[in-house]
Amino acid sequence: SWQRYCGVSVESIIILITCVHVFSESSDYSEAEVLPDSFPSAPAEPLPEFLLEPEDAFIVKNRPVQLRCRASPATQIYFKCNGEWVNQNDHVTRESLDQITGLVVREVDISVSRTQVEELFGLEDYWCQCVAWSSAGTTKSNRAYVRIAYLRKNFEQEPLGREVRMEQEVLLQCRPPEGMPAAEVDWLKNEDVIDPSQDSNFLITIDHDLIIKQARLSDTANYTCVARNVVAKRRSSTATLIVYVSGGWSSWTEWSECNARCGRGWQRRTRSCTNPAPLNGGAFCEGPPFQRVTCTTLCPVDGGWTEWAKWSACGTECTHWRSRECQAPPPRNGGKHCSGSMMESKNCTEGLCSQREKASDPHLKSMGVAVYAGLVGALLLCVILVLCVGVLAYRRRCRHLHGDITDSSSALTAAFHPGNYKPPRQDNPHHLHPSAPPDLTATAGAFRGPLFSLQQGVIDSPHKIPMTTSPLLDPLPSLKIKVYNSSTLSSMELPADICSDGEILSLKSVGTVGRERDYHSHTLSREPGLSTSTTLGNQGGRLTIPNTGVSLLVPPGTIPQGKFYEMYLIINKWDKTTLPSEGSQTVLSPVVSCGPSGMLLNRPVVLTLPHCAQLDTPTPDWTLTLKTQTHQGAWEEVLTVGEETLSSPCYLQLEEECSHVVMEQLGTYSLVGQSCPPQPACKRLQLALFAPRAPCLSLDYSLRIYCIHDTPHALKEVLDLERSLGGVLLEDPKPLLFKDSYHNLRLSIHDIPHSHWRSKLLAKYQEIPFYHIWSGSQRPLHCTFSLERGSLVVSQLACKICVRQVEGEGQIFQLHTDIQETLPPHSPLPSGGSCLPSSQVGPYAFRLPDSIRQKICASLDAPSARGCDWRLLARSLGFDRYLNYFATKPSPTGVLLDLWEACHQADADLVSLATALEEMGKSEVLVVMTTDGDC
């Protein structure tokens, strides 16, 4: 028993007793005898290691299961089940020798029956484990659980048949019967196993549900859920899925011809329910399959001859002529033309002379030759005169375009060295034309002088304007100009607050100007009327591009004290930049660059961008995203409206016609959007009709209709383009809502007086593709209607031009004009728009005085227990869409007031702000505003 249960052999016990006896005898020796440090011994046997451990098993019906384990080195191995040792007679033991290690390998099997498992009572399942012995000790294996396998007959939930429309998502649910082990589930489609790896339109969830992502006609089938384990396999009831297609109308056919050849009749057009046709019980199209309208056909009038005119004088060929016209009446409405000849001739000498005699007269023949020779000579002279005039005009134009490069470059160099300024020659006034700004990067690296006028002393410095505001000296965005402190500063007009620092800073260093020039000259090219720049300091200011709706507000304190930055604001032309839209997105605002990019700001600035998104719907139908362009030209998403987080670097305030971006990083920005299902979004467009301004001197006449975004910048771009082409706007642009419905924009002209005018357009209408308008990739989009009048006498033109989106909204132009008159210029832009300053510097740029601003911030920045702090001000002003952005700022009230300044640029009277403060109960602030402000 000892050997069996303790795993220690008798020989080992004898050796152990002998060692103890020897050690006890050695203690009788004298203490002077020295014992050795160690005794020689055999190598120690390691602990048993299991090479095979028992595994979980299931008893199927009444068949017992076998548990097996193998260990080495092992003198004994026994099973223990549920804490009790299994009888030795129930073990089947096999012993072998490992050929590599020479250790004994022992393997043991036991059999577990259904009866043994069923006799166990308690919460824990039936388990067994192996215990192996060696001279070094014991080792236990993992537990192996033995369970009785089963599978219930009834499914907890079976799939249900249904009817779905095509492309709809389908969910078929299945909960298999309870079983041990848990049943595995397969789905059958018409008795074929569904493999999601082969068809990505199918998805089987972890809960065994079948999802069809987009129902197809081929998915109409019988679906069965099959559950199986080691015991049995169960099938659910079959669910029949029917994918139906509801009918859709095709496009209307063209109107048929009027059924009455003369007088009142009918026209009809039809459509069919074939786009698509209804299938599998889908609904038929709603509405009539045909339409009928009345029509009136003018009756044809056959032409008739007038009376013969009088005979002409007798000619050189002994004949005279008379004519008649087919004007009594003229043929109209498809009537027949007069039959017969228009002219009649006969001999006028009653046979006294003949044509042969005249032809044989040598005197008359010489006269004919002389006449023809004179005509040929006159024609050659005219050709020579025309060639001479053309050559002179070409040479004058070449002389006009090619400037004096030496003098213009001298002028630029002199501009950087005010003491040596050399004006351009008077005979060439176009050297410094504003439409072609000079390249200042070539001399920027060598310049080390200040950029201020040298006329007076420092005493008048607060009233002087830096010369950097001149168009000639406006540096590129990548230019850095540093003014060094030296003895020459005593004669320069510098502002008082830069005498200590003496720097006018921009982002790029002088050494990198050459490397950065190519990139910035391409992406940030300045166009007349599309850019502005100024030098701003700690007092801040505002940059505005007139008549475009684009502005940049730089609050006081944004730029560090004593620093000055040459800041710019540029609208990028569409043909010189990469658009930020991708996929189904559409560009909603101009692409605007503000800079210098990367400059350190002490507080946020506010960039105002006009947009053309229709936002007055009760439910949100736009997903709006602000994007920025990296230095490599790629576009990155900054934020999506409604999905802001604490890591969002900007705040976007949306209004009906513009958006205000509160940001701390200057760069290139644009607003894009896409439809938010289920409602399609709408863009606001403008339709502008143009005609030639000068009197029409030919038979041809053209009308141009532009389809542009409903933003001031887009209209200004088209007006400038037409002004260069000699066109004039006939009336105020008309608005049009363009829906994201994949339908094109159709333009047609009607009610042309066919008696005097005819259209050169063969088709009945023109169309602008939907994608060209929605993506905004092509600008500006327009259609031209080419007309031709019957004669030069016709001067009046009256017609109707219809513009509409197919199955959408439309507009009609009623045109009545005199083409022989010089049309007056017509501009829909505000009369004062061009008079607004492009930049405002210092306190004059802000409606709210700095003293009032500071007292409002001191009153509202601190949190209030009653909630009467900056949060309530944000709600009163409508800036509470994401309050966490303002909460992260040192002065939330200051950022709110900056945003208020940007939103009320045109009407910034303090009444709206005072009303909000009055509703908050801030009477002490109202007293300050009444005393110090204009409220």
Side-chain angles (χ1 to χ4, degrees):
S1 293
W2 177 266
Q3 181 179 358
R4 177 187 304 173
Y5 294 105
C6 294
V8 181
S9 62
V10 176
E11 293 82 3
S12 300
I13 296 174
I14 295 173
I15 293 173
L16 180 60
I17 294 173
T18 304
C19 292
V20 171
H21 177 70
V22 172
F23 179 75
S24 61
E25 291 181 352
S26 63
S27 60
D28 296 336
Y29 290 101
S30 63
E31 297 180 357
E33 184 178 357
V34 179
L35 298 177
D37 293 336
S38 61
F39 295 95
S41 62
E45 189 177 24
L47 284 172
E49 180 180 356
F50 281 98
L51 306 179
L52 176 65
E53 297 188 62
E55 298 179 350
D56 295 345
F58 295 94
I59 297 178
V60 179
K61 297 182 179 180
N62 293 320
R63 293 192 295 271
V65 296
Q66 299 293 326
L67 299 181
R68 175 177 299 174
C69 64
R70 184 187 306 121
S72 174
T75 57
Q76 294 295 336
I77 299 179
Y78 288 96
F79 271 93
K80 179 187 288 187
C81 294
N82 295 324
E84 297 181 0
W85 293 101
V86 178
N87 192 294
Q88 181 180 4
N89 297 329
D90 296 334
H91 292 75
V92 178
T93 305
R94 290 177 295 275
E95 186 175 325
S96 62
L97 189 66
D98 193 333
Q99 299 297 331
I100 300 176
T101 61
L103 299 176
V104 177
V105 177
R106 191 176 297 272
E107 182 177 292
V108 176
D109 294 348
I110 66 170
S111 177
V112 179
S113 65
R114 184 187 184 101
T115 304
Q116 292 176 270
V117 176
E118 290 177 343
E119 289 177 353
L120 176 67
F121 294 96
L123 299 178
E124 191 173 17
D125 292 331
Y126 190 93
W127 60 268
C128 295
Q129 71 176 163
C130 285
V131 180
W133 281 270
S134 72
S135 60
T138 62
T139 304
K140 295 181 180 180
S141 70
N142 294 328
R143 291 184 179 184
Y145 290 91
V146 180
R147 302 177 179 93
I148 299 176
Y150 67 93
L151 182 64
R152 306 288 185 199
K153 291 184 178 181
N154 297 326
F155 279 76
E156 296 181 5
Q157 184 174 6
E158 295 185 297
L160 301 176
R162 54 188 303 191
E163 296 181 357
V164 297
R165 69 175 183 273
M166 192 167 64
E167 296 184 355
Q168 179 182 345
E169 184 179 86
V170 183
L171 173 63
L172 296 178
Q173 293 181 318
C174 175
R175 296 294 179 269
E178 180 185 354
M180 179 63 67
E184 298 179 1
V185 174
D186 290 326
W187 279 92
L188 304 181
K189 174 184 176 183
N190 291 336
E191 302 303 321
D192 294 330
V193 178
I194 296 176
D195 186 0
S197 63
Q198 300 295 327
D199 190 345
S200 59
N201 196 42
F202 291 105
L203 174 65
I204 299 179
T205 67
I206 193 173
D207 296 327
H208 311 299
D209 296 334
L210 176 65
I211 295 178
I212 304 176
K213 300 177 182 178
Q214 286 186 330
R216 304 161 296 191
L217 289 177
S218 60
D219 294 329
T220 299
N222 294 324
Y223 291 86
T224 307
C225 180
V226 178
R228 55 182 171 82
N229 65 2
V230 295
V231 178
K233 180 166 67 174
R234 312 288 187 211
R235 290 171 59 96
S236 70
S237 59
T238 299
T240 301
L241 178 67
I242 298 177
V243 181
Y244 66 85
V245 179
S246 296
W249 289 114
S250 64
S251 299
W252 287 103
T253 61
E254 297 295 335
W255 288 103
S256 64
E257 295 183 358
C258 196
N259 61 349
R261 300 191 60 186
C262 180
R264 186 180 179 86
W266 298 93
Q267 278 181 296
R268 123 183 222 137
R269 65 175 182 175
T270 61
R271 59 180 178 176
S272 59
C273 190
T274 57
N275 187 29
L279 292 173
N280 297 336
F284 197 79
C285 303
E286 296 182 0
F290 66 90
Q291 287 181 344
R292 191 172 68 168
V293 295
T294 59
C295 59
T296 302
T297 304
L298 299 177
C299 298
V301 177
D302 295 337
W305 291 113
T306 60
E307 296 294 332
W308 286 104
K310 294 182 179 180
W311 289 103
S312 64
C314 193
T316 58
E317 298 181 353
C318 304
T319 57
H320 60 174
W321 303 82
R322 66 175 181 176
S323 62
R324 58 180 178 175
E325 295 182 353
C326 189
Q327 295 291 332
R332 295 193 304 270
N333 307 326
K336 296 180 180 179
H337 200 274
C338 304
S339 60
S341 61
M342 297 178 59
M343 302 187 69
E344 183 182 33
S345 64
K346 69 176 182 178
N347 193 296
C348 58
T349 60
E350 299 181 356
L352 297 180
C353 68
S354 65
Q355 182 176 357
R356 183 178 301 175
E357 293 175 353
K358 294 291 183 180
S360 61
D361 190 344
H363 178 66
L364 293 176
K365 186 181 297 184
S366 62
M367 287 181 61
V369 173
V371 171
Y372 287 122
L375 290 175
V376 172
L379 181 61
L380 291 175
L381 182 60
C382 292
V383 171
I384 293 173
L385 289 176
V386 169
L387 290 176
C388 292
V389 172
V391 171
L392 290 176
Y394 175 77
R395 295 185 62 183
R396 179 171 297 179
R397 182 180 179 185
C398 293
R399 189 181 303 114
H400 172 74
L401 293 177
H402 291 81
D404 191 337
I405 303 301
T406 304
D407 285 350
S408 65
S409 61
S410 301
L412 292 176
T413 307
F416 280 95
H417 299 80
N420 300 325
Y421 177 74
K422 176 183 177 182
R425 294 207 310 261
Q426 299 298 326
D427 59 347
N428 192 356
H430 302 285
H431 287 168
L432 299 178
H433 195 276
S435 63
D439 185 2
L440 304 183
T441 59
T443 57
F447 175 62
R448 290 294 182 271
L451 294 181
F452 296 86
S453 175
L454 303 180
Q455 299 299 323
Q456 297 182 10
V458 185
I459 299 177
D460 299 330
S461 60
H463 309 287
K464 302 303 178 182
I465 301 176
M467 293 180 64
T468 52
T469 58
S470 169
L472 173 63
L473 298 180
D474 192 9
L476 292 176
S478 61
L479 179 63
K480 174 177 179 180
I481 303 173
K482 184 172 182 179
V483 180
Y484 293 92
N485 292 319
S486 64
S487 59
T488 59
L489 291 177
S490 60
S491 62
M492 297 178 184
E493 300 176 1
L494 295 176
D497 56 352
I498 69 168
C499 292
S500 60
D501 192 279
E503 290 185 336
I504 300 176
L505 301 176
S506 183
L507 178 65
K508 302 296 181 183
S509 63
V510 175
T512 60
V513 168
R515 296 192 300 270
E516 300 289 338
R517 181 175 61 181
D518 295 338
Y519 169 73
H520 284 282
S521 63
H522 174 69
T523 59
L524 299 179
S525 58
R526 300 190 179 184
E527 299 286 342
L530 298 180
S531 63
T532 183
S533 64
T534 189
T535 301
L536 296 181
N538 181 258
Q539 293 183 340
R542 189 194 305 264
L543 282 77
T544 303
I545 303 179
N547 295 332
T548 62
V550 178
S551 64
L552 178 67
L553 181 75
V554 183
T558 302
I559 300 176
Q561 185 72 29
K563 305 293 183 181
F564 282 78
Y565 286 91
E566 181 74 17
M567 304 193 69
Y568 61 85
L569 187 64
I570 300 174
I571 299 178
N572 295 292
K573 293 183 72 67
W574 294 95
D575 55 349
K576 295 182 180 180
T577 186
T578 304
L579 293 182
S581 59
E582 56 185 12
S584 60
Q585 291 180 338
T586 177
V587 182
L588 298 174
S589 74
V591 179
V592 176
S593 298
C594 54
S597 60
M599 65 177 283
L600 181 63
L601 303 178
N602 289 343
R603 58 185 302 169
V605 298
V606 185
L607 175 65
T608 300
L609 299 174
H611 67 79
C612 60
Q614 180 69 11
L615 300 177
D616 60 353
T617 54
T619 57
D621 48 15
W622 278 104
T623 299
L624 301 176
T625 303
L626 181 69
K627 291 191 175 184
T628 184
Q629 192 175 28
T630 63
H631 288 287
Q632 291 75 26
W635 285 94
E636 295 180 349
E637 180 177 321
V638 179
L639 65 86
T640 299
V641 177
E643 300 178 5
E644 294 89 343
T645 62
L646 288 175
S647 61
S648 299
C650 301
Y651 176 83
L652 187 64
Q653 178 67 24
L654 280 174
E655 296 183 346
E656 288 189 4
E657 297 183 354
C658 63
S659 59
H660 308 279
V661 185
V662 185
M663 59 186 181
E664 300 182 49
Q665 183 67 46
L666 301 180
T668 301
Y669 294 89
S670 182
L671 185 67
V672 301
Q674 66 183 61
S675 292
C676 181
Q679 295 296 328
C682 291
K683 290 175 66 172
R684 301 191 325 272
L685 303 180
Q686 292 184 99
L687 304 174
L689 177 61
F690 289 85
R693 180 180 181 183
C696 182
L697 302 180
S698 67
L699 297 178
D700 295 332
Y701 192 75
S702 62
L703 298 171
R704 288 184 295 275
I705 300 181
Y706 287 85
C707 174
I708 57 177
H709 284 174
D710 188 9
T711 59
H713 159 253
L715 181 58
K716 180 179 183 296
E717 183 181 9
V718 171
L719 289 174
D720 293 342
L721 174 63
E722 278 294 324
R723 190 178 297 113
S724 64
L725 297 176
V728 63
L729 185 66
L730 295 182
E731 57 180 283
D732 287 341
K734 293 181 179 292
L736 177 69
L737 292 181
F738 191 77
K739 187 179 296 184
D740 184 12
S741 61
Y742 300 98
H743 291 296
N744 300 338
L745 189 69
R746 182 172 296 178
L747 301 92
S748 56
I749 188 168
H750 306 274
D751 299 343
I752 301 175
H754 294 286
S755 58
H756 303 293
W757 293 86
R758 77 175 186 88
S759 174
K760 291 186 176 182
L761 183 66
L762 299 179
K764 293 185 178 181
Y765 55 83
Q766 301 184 62
E767 284 191 350
I768 301 178
F770 165 83
Y771 179 74
H772 289 178
I773 299 176
W774 190 255
S775 66
S777 60
Q778 300 185 12
R779 297 217 172 183
L781 297 169
H782 76 280
C783 283
T784 301
F785 289 98
S786 299
L787 306 177
E788 184 180 15
R789 50 180 172 166
S791 64
L792 295 176
V793 180
V794 178
S795 61
Q796 298 295 324
L797 174 60
C799 64
K800 181 169 62 176
I801 298 178
C802 299
V803 184
R804 71 180 182 91
Q805 187 180 13
V806 178
E807 300 186 10
E809 297 187 5
Q811 286 284 4
I812 297 178
F813 289 91
Q814 294 285 356
L815 180 62
H816 191 282
T817 183
D818 189 344
I819 66 173
Q820 298 294 356
E821 295 180 357
T822 301
L823 297 176
H826 177 75
S827 175
L829 296 176
S831 58
S834 60
C835 299
L836 292 175
S838 61
S839 60
Q840 296 171 291
V841 181
Y844 300 102
F846 309 101
R847 188 67 182 88
L848 191 65
D850 187 60
S851 58
I852 298 179
R853 171 191 292 268
Q854 293 180 3
K855 292 179 180 179
I856 295 177
C857 293
S859 176
L860 300 181
D861 275 345
S864 172
R866 297 183 296 111
C868 189
D869 51 18
W870 63 270
R871 295 175 179 82
L872 185 56
L873 176 63
R875 296 187 183 95
S876 301
L877 297 178
F879 301 157
D880 57 337
R881 185 173 51 80
Y882 187 69
L883 291 177
N884 288 338
Y885 176 83
F886 303 99
T888 60
K889 305 305 174 189
S891 175
T893 309
V895 180
L896 291 172
L897 295 178
D898 296 338
L899 183 56
W900 176 84
E901 288 270 7
C903 293
H904 296 81
Q905 178 179 359
D907 57 345
D909 54 357
L910 300 179
V911 176
S912 61
L913 183 59
T915 303
L917 293 173
E918 183 179 7
E919 294 175 353
M920 296 173 59
K922 291 293 182 179
S923 57
E924 69 278 6
V925 180
L926 285 176
V927 172
V928 173
M929 294 182 63
T930 306
T931 305
D932 299 344
D934 300 334
C935 189

